[in-house]
Amino acid sequence: MIISEMTAQECRMHLAASRVGRLACVSDGLPYVVPISFVYENGHIYSFSLIGQKVWAMRGNPQVCFEVDEIRSPRSWWSVVAFGRYEELSEAGPRQNERDHAWSLLQKARPNWWEPGSETPHSEDKVASPPHLFFRINIEKITGRRAVV
């Protein structure tokens, strides 16, 4: 087995071909990692979420880490790690065009892309649906490794 570094271009190709990754942030001083559906385009990871723990964490500290991988076997795999900055894409104002673009990208990539991000754990006292938002991660650094036989 040979483990090698991937180029930034190879890392971006893997991001563009993937649809689910793991988003890491810091919540109340502790690491917090969650899987998210996403689309990658031109140095940005676009996604959608209800407002909850990960959004509150990223609002408090916008520096995040994002990971995607594929493991075919213990000796054949790749992994990409991107470091970047969280940015909310609001429905109005200067970020509305980016929000609309995020919606368009997610819609093209996977019909019903919004379903996992629009669900919350069941609660008897839930009165109304919580608000949701679109966001992007502006990638500042990207790295990757792969193993081949």
Side-chain angles (χ1 to χ4, degrees):
M1 174 175 66
I2 299 171
I3 297 176
S4 61
E5 297 286 329
M6 290 191 287
T7 66
Q9 181 178 350
E10 290 171 318
C11 292
R12 289 188 294 269
M13 285 179 13
H14 283 299
L15 278 177
S18 300
R19 292 293 170 256
V20 175
R22 285 165 276 302
L23 176 67
C25 52
V26 176
S27 179
D28 295 324
L30 297 172
Y32 183 65
V33 178
V34 292
I36 63 168
S37 295
F38 77 98
V39 173
Y40 170 80
E41 183 188 68
N42 298 330
H44 304 289
I45 295 165
Y46 292 94
S47 194
F48 163 91
S49 179
L50 291 175
I51 297 174
Q53 186 171 353
K54 74 177 164 287
V55 171
W56 295 324
M58 292 186 295
R59 284 175 174 171
N61 180 355
Q63 289 299 129
V64 300
C65 184
F66 187 77
E67 191 269 349
V68 294
D69 59 48
E70 180 178 290
I71 302 169
R72 293 184 188 124
S73 77
R75 298 173 60 89
S76 177
W77 52 266
W78 60 262
S79 174
V80 172
V81 176
F83 300 89
R85 189 174 240 359
Y86 167 79
E87 179 182 12
E88 286 187 29
L89 305 175
S90 60
E91 290 188 43
R95 298 283 183 245
Q96 182 175 357
N97 287 342
E98 288 98 340
R99 180 202 176 278
D100 294 344
H101 184 65
W103 183 91
S104 174
L105 289 172
L106 289 160
Q107 185 64 27
K108 275 192 269 186
R110 195 176 99 204
N112 299 326
W113 53 268
W114 48 268
E115 284 180 336
S118 67
E119 297 297 323
T120 59
H122 179 70
S123 173
E124 294 296 326
D125 60 351
K126 186 163 74 172
V127 177
S129 295
H132 62 274
L133 59 84
F134 288 86
F135 67 91
R136 72 180 176 188
I137 305 301
N138 300 310
I139 296 176
E140 298 168 346
K141 179 182 173 186
I142 192 166
T143 184
R145 290 186 177 178
R146 69 173 152 246
V148 293
V149 181

